[in-house]
């Protein structure tokens, strides 16, 4: 994981994102899983949702630098796995890319 | 588990044991209140609940629930140690634990949480608990001779459980080391190993306390191979929490094997539950609590085994099905064993009201059943529909189902409050028009 992604992980934790959202199905289940949010919705749309909120999700006060870090971390996670999956890949468990 | 309770009808609980039990009851009541607010937050319109921050409610609920279980098991262990060794724990550790329980939520409210699922308190709060965990483990090991004479199996469960809790608490902080900081998968593996070991430790200690509440004849140690199997199972099931991550295949394979070994435990508990039907306890008001514990142990182990099957795990993982599995275990097993211990090690048994216990257990059972239905249905909708559909397509269905969540949560809270009140009365806490008094034990 790059240093910028590590900083993004810190932003994720400081803002308590895991209380409502999961990554690889681990975390809160009130909101959607965010494992592949970047490839599904793109970094721009994701940033807007984080900044202004949507539905029951409140707007977050995150500055541009923190947002860049957070998106870098979500991009790193997106590169790691596909989730959810219908079945495990042949020969092993897991959903690695 | 359902053998006759004996050792005299009641064993006076010494200080600081009742204080730990009181802290436990207070912790459970607050956890229930906060959990109920969290459930309301999920179903009420955002504008009605904007004053509640879910990112604060959830870690507070988790911290208080785990703190309450720890307080309860410390209280029961204290009572057992004093009864069999005559030595009380140093009050400094009680003060440290009370501080931990008090400053943890304060730290979370000040925004110092770790943002992690089950270990939300910051490092400085964790550090307060560490000496208490060391002290409990040390005192248990020092008393191994006397405790083994009374119940060989009981001592092994208490000792192993205390060690598991201590190790898990320390392991949970490995996240601060660089190899974990830069690897999300490694961090997940270690985090979930710590969580699994922690819960296993708490369950093991609580089952150990039940051994000491049971018949006066010593419970012999089972063959060592059974301990080896359960140790293998306890230490390696963690991988099933994230089959989908890129953790090594060997960990996943071992996790499946270890999780399926729990079938042995399930069979044993089922036989015990069948045998338990119709047996009586002394005093009789313990019967509904004991029966409930047996029932929820079976549900917990059964659901754990089913959810660990990889193809089923694809559906259940990351849904409220896993939440109700955890809640059923925390309330149906851990909380009820603490209530059982508080009643069995009572200071003032004459104040315990059997009909209230019956009511509290019924409310707890019915609400847990309701939560299994509501959260189970919501979990199935998410687990099945998320493959083909976007979150916002199936969320309205989940929201409709989750309306039952706060309703069941309210009934559960009522059950918890009633049982906690009886546990407090049993521990000599007198609440009347003259104020609050703590009746002292014989010690």
């Amino acid at each position: 994981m790059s240093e910028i992604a590590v900083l993004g992980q810190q932003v994720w934790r400081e803002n308590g994102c895991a209380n409502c959202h999961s990554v690889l199905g681990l975390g809160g289940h009130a909101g959607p899983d965010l494992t592949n949010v970047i490839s599904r919705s793109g970094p721009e749309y994701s940033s807007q949702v984080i900044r202004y909120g949507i539905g029951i999700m409140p707007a977050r006060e995150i500055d541009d630098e923190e947002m860049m870090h957070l998106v870098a971390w979500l991009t790193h996670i997106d590169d790691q796995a596909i989730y959810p999956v219908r079945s495990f890949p042949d020969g092993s468990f897991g959903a690695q890319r | 588990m359902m053998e006759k309770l004996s050792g005299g009808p009641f064993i006076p609980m010494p200080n600081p044991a009742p204080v730990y039990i009181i802290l436990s009851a207070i912790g459970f009541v607050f956890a229930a209140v906060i959990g109920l607010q969290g459930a309301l937050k999920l179903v009420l319109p955002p504008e009605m609940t904007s004053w509640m921050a879910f990112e604060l409610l959830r870690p507070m609920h988790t911290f208080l629930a785990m703190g309450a279980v720890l307080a309860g098991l410390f209280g029961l262990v204290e009572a057992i140690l004093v009864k069999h060794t005559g030595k009380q724990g140093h009050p400094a550790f009680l003060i440290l634990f009370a501080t931990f329980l008090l400053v943890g939520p304060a730290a979370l409210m000040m925004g110092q949480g770790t943002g992690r699922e089950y270990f939300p308190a910051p490092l400085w709060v964790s550090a307060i608990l560490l000496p208490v965990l060391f002290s409990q483990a040390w005192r248990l090991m020092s008393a191994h001779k006397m405790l083994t004479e009374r119940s060989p199996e009981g001592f092994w469960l208490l000792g192993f459980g205390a060690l598991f809790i201590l190790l898990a608490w320390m392991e949970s902080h490995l996240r601060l080391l660089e190899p974990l900081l830069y690897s999300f998968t490694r961090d997940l593996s270690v985090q979930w190993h710590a969580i699994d070991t922690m819960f296993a430790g708490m369950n093991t200690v609580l089952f150990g306390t039940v051994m000491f509440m049971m018949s006066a004849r010593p419970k012999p140690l089972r063959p060592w191979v059974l301990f080896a199997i359960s140790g293998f199972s306890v230490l390696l099931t963690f991988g099933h929490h994230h089959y989908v991550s890129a953790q090594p295949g060997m960990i996943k394979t071992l996790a499946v094997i270890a999780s399926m070994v729990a079938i042995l435990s399930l069979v044993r508990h089922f036989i015990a539950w069948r045998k338990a039907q119709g047996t009586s306890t002394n005093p009789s008001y313990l019967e509904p609590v004991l029966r409930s514990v047996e029932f929820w142990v079976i549900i917990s182990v059964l659901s754990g085994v089913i959810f660990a099957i990889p193809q089923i795990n694809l559906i259940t993982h990351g849904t409220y099905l896993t939440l109700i599995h955890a809640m059923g275990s925390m309330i149906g097993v851990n909380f009820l064993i603490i209530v059982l211990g508080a009643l069995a090690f009572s200071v003032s048994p004459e104040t315990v009201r059997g009909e209230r216990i019956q009511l509290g257990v019924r409310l707890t059972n019915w609400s847990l059943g309701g939560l299994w239905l509501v959260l189970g249905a919501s979990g199935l909708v998410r687990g099945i529909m998320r493959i083909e559909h976007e979150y916002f397509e199936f969320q309205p269905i989940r929201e409709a189902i989750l309306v039952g969540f706060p309703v069941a949560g309210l009934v559960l809270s009522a059950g918890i409050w009633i049982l906690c009140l009886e546990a407090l009365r049993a521990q000599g806490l007198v609440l009347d028009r003259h104020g609050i008094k703590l009746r002292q034990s014989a010690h």
Side-chain angles (χ1 to χ4, degrees):
Chain A
M1 200 180 339
S2 66
E3 286 198 14
I4 192 168
V6 172
L7 290 172
Q9 182 172 256
Q10 208 172 316
V11 176
W12 167 271
R13 288 184 179 151
E14 281 170 1
N15 283 274
C17 304
N19 290 305
C20 298
H21 296 284
S22 57
V23 164
L24 289 169
L26 295 170
H29 309 313
D33 184 275
L34 299 184
T35 310
N36 302 121
V37 68
I38 298 298
S39 55
R40 262 203 332 265
S41 308
E44 284 302 317
Y45 180 77
S46 304
S47 305
Q48 295 296 310
V49 169
I50 294 166
R51 187 155 284 149
Y52 299 110
I54 188 170
I56 61 169
M57 177 172 165
R60 311 296 316 185
E61 286 177 16
I62 292 179
D63 64 32
D64 290 345
E65 195 180 8
E66 286 177 324
M67 186 67 80
M68 185 181 70
H69 295 160
L70 185 55
V71 169
W73 185 68
L74 289 169
T75 306
H76 168 78
I77 298 299
D78 201 334
D79 291 340
Q80 301 288 306
I82 299 168
Y83 183 79
V85 283
R86 187 193 303 273
S87 63
F88 293 115
D90 289 342
S92 71
F93 300 103
Q96 303 95 306
R97 280 196 189 273
Chain B
M1 194 183 290
M2 289 282 287
E3 293 173 34
K4 272 185 184 274
L5 296 178
S6 66
F10 296 103
I11 306 139
M13 190 180 243
N15 283 322
V19 185
Y20 275 120
I21 298 288
I22 290 164
L23 286 175
S24 176
I26 294 169
F28 275 119
V29 167
F30 273 96
V33 169
I34 293 170
L36 187 57
Q37 285 183 56
L40 283 170
K41 177 91 182 165
L42 290 179
V43 297
L44 292 175
E47 55 274 15
M48 284 177 70
T49 58
S50 55
W51 55 278
M52 302 181 206
F54 199 79
E55 62 268 31
L56 183 59
L57 291 176
R58 192 176 173 213
M60 292 264 274
H61 175 68
T62 308
F63 179 87
L64 285 169
M66 286 182 73
V69 172
L70 283 174
L73 67 86
F74 286 161
L76 299 184
V77 167
E78 277 291 336
I80 289 165
L81 281 170
V82 172
K83 188 192 173 201
H84 296 287
T85 69
K87 290 178 191 165
Q88 286 188 14
H90 197 284
F93 294 108
L94 174 65
I95 293 166
L96 270 181
F97 183 77
T99 308
F100 163 78
L101 214 52
L102 204 64
V103 300
L108 294 174
M109 286 172 85
M110 289 189 296
Q112 294 186 17
T114 60
R116 298 169 83 81
E117 221 178 337
Y118 284 100
F119 298 103
L123 184 63
W124 68 271
V125 175
S126 292
I128 298 172
L129 182 65
L130 205 57
V132 187
L133 296 178
F134 264 114
S135 156
Q136 283 271 346
W138 177 257
R139 290 182 65 221
L140 276 169
M141 295 306 159
S142 306
H144 78 276
K145 205 171 173 184
M146 280 175 271
L147 294 179
T148 305
E149 277 172 19
R150 171 64 182 83
S151 174
E153 180 156 326
F155 168 71
W156 275 89
L157 290 171
L158 292 181
F160 267 115
L163 282 179
F164 282 156
I165 293 172
L166 178 61
L167 292 175
W169 200 253
M170 293 195 290
E171 186 182 14
S172 71
H173 295 92
L174 294 179
R175 66 187 159 84
L176 300 167
L177 302 179
E178 200 168 297
L180 269 64
L181 198 61
Y182 287 89
S183 168
F184 183 65
T185 306
R186 279 185 197 157
D187 180 51
L188 277 184
S189 292
V190 172
Q191 188 187 162
W192 282 90
H193 189 265
I195 291 166
D196 243 26
T197 311
M198 185 81 186
F199 283 118
M202 294 195 298
N203 284 326
T204 307
V205 170
L206 288 172
F207 281 123
T209 64
V210 175
M211 293 285 159
F212 285 90
M213 294 175 216
M214 285 165 56
S215 63
R217 64 187 163 79
K219 190 90 176 168
L221 201 59
R222 286 160 208 259
W224 68 268
V225 68
L226 288 178
F227 283 92
I229 290 171
S230 62
F232 167 79
S233 182
V234 161
L235 293 172
L236 293 170
T237 52
F238 72 100
H240 78 233
H241 292 292
H242 53 110
Y243 285 143
V244 289
S245 83
Q247 60 180 333
M250 176 64 85
I251 288 180
K252 297 177 190 181
T253 307
L254 285 171
V256 178
I257 297 167
S259 304
M260 295 306 118
V261 164
I263 292 172
L264 291 175
S265 169
L266 180 64
V267 171
R268 195 180 75 75
H269 282 294
F270 188 72
I271 293 168
W273 180 70
R274 289 286 300 272
K275 274 188 190 166
Q277 303 307 308
T279 50
S280 58
T281 60
N282 178 24
S284 61
Y285 56 67
L286 296 175
E287 279 173 31
V289 191
L290 269 169
R291 292 219 170 88
S292 279
V293 170
E294 286 289 6
F295 177 75
W296 290 112
V297 166
I298 290 171
I299 297 296
S300 279
V301 181
L302 178 65
S303 53
V305 169
I306 291 171
F307 294 175
I309 297 168
Q311 292 304 329
I312 294 176
N313 187 273
L314 282 172
I315 294 171
T316 60
H317 177 71
T319 73
Y320 278 143
L321 275 159
T322 48
L323 174 68
I324 182 57
H325 163 73
M327 271 182 82
S329 175
M330 189 71 107
I331 304 294
V333 182
N334 295 352
F335 168 69
L336 286 181
I337 288 180
I338 291 166
V339 171
L340 184 74
L343 297 173
F345 294 140
S346 176
V347 171
S348 51
E350 71 284 354
T351 62
V352 176
R353 297 166 293 189
E355 72 284 359
R356 291 289 179 94
I357 291 166
Q358 185 97 29
L359 175 67
V361 170
R362 273 193 192 146
L363 291 175
T364 305
N365 286 343
W366 281 106
S367 58
L368 279 180
L371 286 168
W372 260 103
L373 284 177
V374 171
L375 297 178
S378 163
L380 278 178
V381 166
R382 183 178 189 139
I384 293 167
M385 293 190 72
R386 67 187 169 188
I387 306 287
E388 303 285 352
H389 302 270
E390 286 295 318
Y391 172 80
F392 292 102
E393 292 178 60
F394 59 77
Q395 178 61 4
I397 305 172
R398 287 180 73 220
E399 282 173 4
I401 295 169
L402 286 174
V403 169
F405 190 13
V407 177
L410 184 64
V411 180
L412 177 63
S413 298
I416 288 173
W417 296 335
I418 290 169
L419 290 173
C420 281
L421 193 61
E422 291 313 304
L424 291 176
R425 289 168 70 94
Q427 290 305 309
L429 196 75
V430 182
L431 298 123
D432 58 21
R433 61 195 168 89
H434 303 297
I436 300 174
K437 281 179 288 184
L438 182 61
R439 194 177 303 186
Q440 290 299 307
S441 70
H443 287 254

